[in-house]
């Protein structure tokens, strides 16, 4: 159903760690509030909210209730003298661990090509799917056996660029927060040696390797049917002919980058796999060198599945050069990186269409010598972007870095990408200046937002329950697959349901928890992946 703005008290429905700041957002004018212990029913804390102000994104007047000084573990709620109340929430040390595990486990549920067995999938089990070799579009006699990998979203397409973004987020999370991944998910591959996050990423990486053209070294852009199946189609029932779309420079650049990154990360665990990743990366790089200018990808005429087109490929090449230089130390990649850095593209973004931020982070956090004017320029640019985001956070009624016009399709990806960037900026600057602001984005994700919902299936007292996700629609199970991040509010009204039911809503409230509203309530691997990264910092 469509979500009304909740004119009440909104909190992180998972709760707050004992020593973190603890802030709720209350709709309406400033007033007194009380913290209620669920067990005793007693008010254990009383205070006054901050000054009320207009929030441009939600259209609400809001004020904040700060109870950060209360550190006693327990289950609580908030009340005001005006009769408002919050959902229950926990104060404790382990409030995010289960959600972190579920966000990671979601990638297993996205797997294509194998049985999801009850042992690992529980009631969301289903059969193997999409095992037929795919036709190379335009070459009817040629087929590619590209089984495996992750379904991209609520449909069953598989795309190299978005997949590379998702794997990069998970590998970065493992690199920077290894202690967050010591517990088994578990997965079929769990062995107590290699962390499950790396087992899961390997499943996608091996699919990508099947997408590299054996003849040219370039990488096919995507693998899909000609059109999406019906909304309640289970994966194993989607039996239409599969097609791989032509090689693209964006896919090849992303592939070269993520394979070089994987070579570095997997080397301590499996030298043969790491070596194969590096060879695949270098072969893709050679394709890029032979094709310095290449047409932007567009869907072939008969294919109407997600296009993932791009205006340019300089950012993907830049990322590839950075990762290859970091992994190999070869000067030819350093030279290419410096040359690509002179081109005009965003060097801080972490989205599937703008990969420049991954190249910048790889370069700045490399063990290679990067004390140069270019490194300083990139460092200054990244920290400047972080401060711009921080300035928006300080003005936003709910404490996040989105401006009203940024509530677009997949706004929660922006929420999480920008939280990720704030944490990475702290790492580059060796500070903790943005840690609390990044945590505010987690509070938003799990309920401290204009509609008072947790945007993660299965978590919180008011979670998303009807995502645009075909397995969750078609499996006959009441609850959706847990741990999926919904796309979130979208002022664009880009599906029929949204146009009919959400017109006139404020940007931060243009959301509907219905399967039909794919432009607000779809799920994807690359919305989950930055959520894993950000939560990894806090577990």
């Amino acid at each position: 159903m469509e979500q009304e703005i909740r004119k009440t008290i909104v909190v992180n429905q998972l709760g707050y760690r004992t020593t973190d700041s603890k802030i709720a957002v209350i709709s309406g004018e400033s007033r007194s509030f009380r913290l209620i212990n669920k067990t005793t029913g007693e008010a254990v804390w009383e205070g006054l909210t901050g000054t009320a102000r207009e929030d441009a994104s939600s259209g609400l007047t809001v004020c904040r209730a700060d109870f950060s000084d209360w550190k006693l573990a327990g289950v609580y709620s908030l009340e005001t003298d005006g009769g408002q109340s919050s959902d229950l929430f926990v104060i404790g040390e382990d409030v995010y661990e289960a959600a972190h595990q579920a966000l990671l486990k979601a990638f297993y549920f996205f797997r294509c090509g194998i049985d999801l067995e009850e042992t690992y999938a529980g009631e969301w089990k289903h059969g193997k799917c999409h095992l037929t070799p795919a036709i190379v579009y335009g070459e009817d006699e040629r087929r590619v056996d590209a089984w495996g990998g992750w379904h991209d979203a609520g449909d069953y397409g598989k795309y190299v660029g978005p997949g590379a973004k998702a794997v990069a987020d998970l590998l970065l999370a493992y690199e920077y927060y290894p202690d967050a991944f010591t517990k088994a998910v578990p997965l079929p591959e769990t062995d107590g040696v290699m962390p499950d996050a790396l087992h899961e990423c390997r499943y996608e990486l091996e699919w990508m390797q099947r997408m590299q053209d054996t003849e040219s070294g370039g990488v096919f852009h995507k693998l899909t049917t000609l059109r999406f199946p019906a909304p309640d189609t289970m994966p194993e029932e989607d039996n239409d002919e599969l097609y791989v779309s032509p090689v693209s420079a964006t896919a090849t650049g992303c592939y070269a980058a993520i394979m070089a990154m994987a070579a570095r990360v997997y080397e301590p665990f499996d030298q043969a796999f790491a070596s194969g990743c590096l060879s695949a990366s270098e072969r893709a790089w050679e394709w890029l060198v032979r094709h310095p200018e290449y047409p932007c990808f567009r869907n072939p005429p008969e294919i109407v599945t997600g296009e993932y087109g791009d205006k340019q490929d300089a950012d993907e090449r830049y990322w590839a050069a950075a990762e290859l230089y970091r992994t190999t130390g070869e000067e030819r990649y350093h030279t290419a990186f410096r040359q690509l850095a002179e081109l005009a593209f965003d060097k801080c973004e972490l989205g599937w269409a703008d990969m420049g931020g991954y190249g910048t982070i790889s370069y700045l956090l490399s063990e290679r010598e990067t004390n140069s004017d270019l490194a300083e320029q990139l460092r200054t640019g990244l920290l400047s972007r972080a401060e711009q985001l921080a300035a928006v956070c300080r003005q936003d009624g709910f404490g996040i870095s989105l401006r009203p016009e940024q509530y677009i399709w997949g706004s929660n990806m922006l929420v999480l990408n920008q939280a990720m960037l704030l944490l990475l900026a702290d790492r580059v600057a060796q500070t903790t200046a943005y840690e609390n602001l990044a945590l505010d984005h987690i509070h938003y994700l799990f309920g401290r937002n204009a509609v008072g919902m947790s945007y993660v299936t299965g978590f919180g007292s008011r979670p998303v329950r009807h995502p645009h996700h075909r397995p969750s629609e078609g499996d006959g199970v009441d609850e959706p697959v847990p741990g999926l991040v919904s796309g979130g509010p979208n002022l664009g009204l880009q599906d029929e349901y949204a146009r009919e039911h959400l017109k006139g809503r404020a940007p931060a409230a243009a959301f509907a928890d219905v399967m039909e509203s794919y432009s607000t309530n779809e799920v994807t691997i690359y919305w989950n992946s930055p959520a894993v990264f950000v939560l990894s910092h806090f577990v």
Side-chain angles (χ1 to χ4, degrees):
M1 63 182 189
E2 60 186 287
Q3 304 306 313
E4 297 290 342
I5 295 179
R6 287 174 51 76
K7 297 181 179 179
T8 182
I9 308 173
V10 290
V11 296
N12 181 335
Q13 294 167 18
L14 299 188
Y16 304 83
R17 297 186 306 175
T18 53
T19 58
D20 286 341
S21 63
K22 306 174 191 70
I23 295 173
V25 176
I26 302 178
S27 301
E29 298 300 324
S30 305
R31 60 184 71 223
S32 62
F33 69 91
R34 298 176 296 280
L35 180 65
I36 308 298
N37 182 305
K38 180 197 174 186
T39 302
T40 65
E42 296 178 355
V44 296
W45 175 275
E46 295 187 13
L48 295 174
T49 65
T51 303
R53 57 180 171 175
E54 295 297 319
D55 177 54
S57 293
S58 67
L60 293 171
T61 299
V62 298
C63 53
R64 297 185 180 188
D66 189 339
F67 51 104
S68 301
D69 288 342
W70 186 260
K71 296 179 172 60
L72 186 64
V75 180
Y76 300 91
S77 64
L78 289 170
E79 296 178 354
T80 71
D81 54 4
Q84 295 163 300
S85 61
S86 76
D87 293 303
L88 293 173
F89 58 87
V90 171
I91 295 176
E93 286 307 308
D94 300 327
V95 292
Y96 303 136
E97 276 72 4
H100 180 261
Q101 282 287 94
L103 289 164
L104 178 59
K105 178 65 174 287
F107 290 89
Y108 169 77
F109 287 111
F110 278 116
R111 285 192 187 190
C112 178
I114 63 169
D115 290 311
L116 298 195
E117 301 172 12
E118 187 171 2
T119 301
Y120 304 101
E123 59 187 329
W124 299 283
K125 64 184 183 297
H126 65 73
K128 59 176 65 73
C129 58
H130 305 107
L131 290 170
T132 306
I135 298 169
V136 178
Y137 187 86
E139 304 178 42
D140 291 349
E141 301 304 315
R142 186 179 174 206
R143 291 181 178 261
V144 173
D145 190 11
W147 66 276
W150 300 323
H151 297 140
D152 172 71
D155 57 82
Y156 301 130
K158 297 185 289 189
Y159 307 83
V160 171
K165 184 259 192 291
V167 173
D169 292 342
L170 297 181
L171 294 186
L172 284 170
Y174 168 72
E175 281 194 295
Y176 298 146
Y177 310 112
D179 289 347
F181 298 97
T182 56
K183 183 179 178 182
V185 169
L187 301 172
E189 299 86 356
T190 299
D191 58 9
V193 178
M194 190 163 77
D196 279 352
L198 300 191
H199 283 302
E200 193 57 67
C201 288
R202 181 168 178 166
Y203 193 79
E204 176 78 348
L205 290 164
E206 289 176 340
W207 167 73
M208 288 186 189
Q209 289 176 338
R210 299 179 194 112
M211 290 289 284
Q212 187 169 29
D213 182 12
T214 56
E215 297 177 5
S216 70
V219 179
F220 298 113
H221 191 81
K222 65 177 190 174
L223 190 159
T224 70
T225 52
L226 293 179
R227 56 191 57 81
F228 294 130
D232 60 351
T233 304
M234 289 298 289
E236 61 270 33
E237 297 168 355
D238 182 26
N239 295 316
D240 285 358
E241 197 79 72
L242 297 171
Y243 289 82
V244 290
S245 292
V247 166
S248 75
T250 53
T252 305
C254 288
Y255 178 88
I258 200 62
M259 288 297 160
M261 187 180 185
R264 185 172 68 249
V265 175
Y266 285 87
E267 199 276 337
F269 299 100
D270 188 332
Q271 292 183 358
F273 178 68
S275 177
C277 288
L278 183 56
S279 295
S281 173
E282 291 173 328
R283 192 154 180 260
W285 179 260
E286 291 304 318
W287 185 96
L288 293 170
V289 170
R290 294 196 306 273
H291 301 86
E293 295 183 6
Y294 204 74
C296 295
F297 178 83
R298 291 292 178 265
N299 265 342
E302 297 173 84
I303 297 180
V304 295
T305 51
E307 183 173 75
Y308 287 106
D310 205 343
K311 295 178 181 178
Q312 63 173 353
D313 55 42
D315 50 318
E316 288 86 2
R317 293 171 185 263
Y318 170 85
W319 179 28
E323 295 292 359
L324 278 161
Y325 174 57
R326 185 175 182 182
T327 298
T328 70
E330 292 186 23
E331 190 57 33
R332 59 178 173 141
Y333 299 123
H334 198 189
T335 299
F337 179 82
R338 290 195 298 263
Q339 292 171 343
L340 288 160
E342 295 176 1
L343 303 179
F345 58 88
D346 195 311
K347 297 177 181 64
C348 296
E349 284 293 324
L350 300 170
W352 63 263
D354 297 296
M355 298 287 201
Y358 293 100
T360 296
I361 289 298
S362 180
Y363 190 68
L364 291 179
L365 296 177
S366 172
E367 298 75 20
R368 307 292 174 190
E369 178 58 51
T370 55
N371 293 323
S372 64
D373 290 343
L374 174 57
E376 185 54 37
Q377 176 186 330
L378 294 174
R379 184 178 293 107
T380 299
L382 182 70
L383 298 181
S384 175
R385 177 66 62 82
E387 191 50 41
Q388 291 168 18
L389 296 177
V392 176
C393 293
R394 293 170 187 134
Q395 293 300 314
D396 183 75
F398 294 85
I400 65 166
S401 58
L402 261 61
R403 302 184 302 275
E405 67 274 15
Q406 289 183 299
Y407 286 85
I408 59 173
W409 195 329
S411 62
N412 280 339
M413 181 187 74
L414 293 183
V415 169
L416 295 162
N417 282 353
Q418 291 175 183
M420 185 174 168
L421 189 144
L422 290 169
L423 293 173
L424 289 168
D426 266 343
R427 184 167 288 270
V428 167
Q430 297 183 322
T431 66
T432 57
Y434 301 120
E435 184 177 52
N436 283 338
L437 297 181
L439 185 55
D440 281 337
H441 292 66
I442 292 298
H443 296 329
Y444 171 92
L445 183 70
F446 288 105
R448 202 181 74 183
N449 53 58
V451 298
M453 289 192 70
S454 167
Y455 288 123
V456 180
T457 57
F459 285 85
S461 50
R462 301 174 188 271
V464 165
R465 296 192 67 241
H466 306 285
H468 185 85
H469 179 239
R470 282 168 174 78
S472 292
E473 180 73 6
D475 60 10
V477 180
D478 287 343
E479 294 299 321
V481 170
L484 304 177
V485 175
S486 169
N490 175 11
L491 59 80
L493 306 181
Q494 289 163 289
D495 62 68
E496 186 175 342
Y497 186 95
R499 286 188 288 273
E500 180 177 351
H501 295 274
L502 303 181
K503 187 176 181 180
R505 291 290 186 87
F511 176 77
D513 182 20
V514 296
M515 170 72 174
E516 294 81 4
S517 187
Y518 52 84
S519 72
T520 73
N521 202 29
E522 192 167 12
V523 297
T524 81
I525 54 176
Y526 55 88
W527 298 342
N528 261 67
S529 58
V532 171
F533 180 97
V534 179
L535 264 190
S536 296
H537 182 91
F538 298 103
V539 299

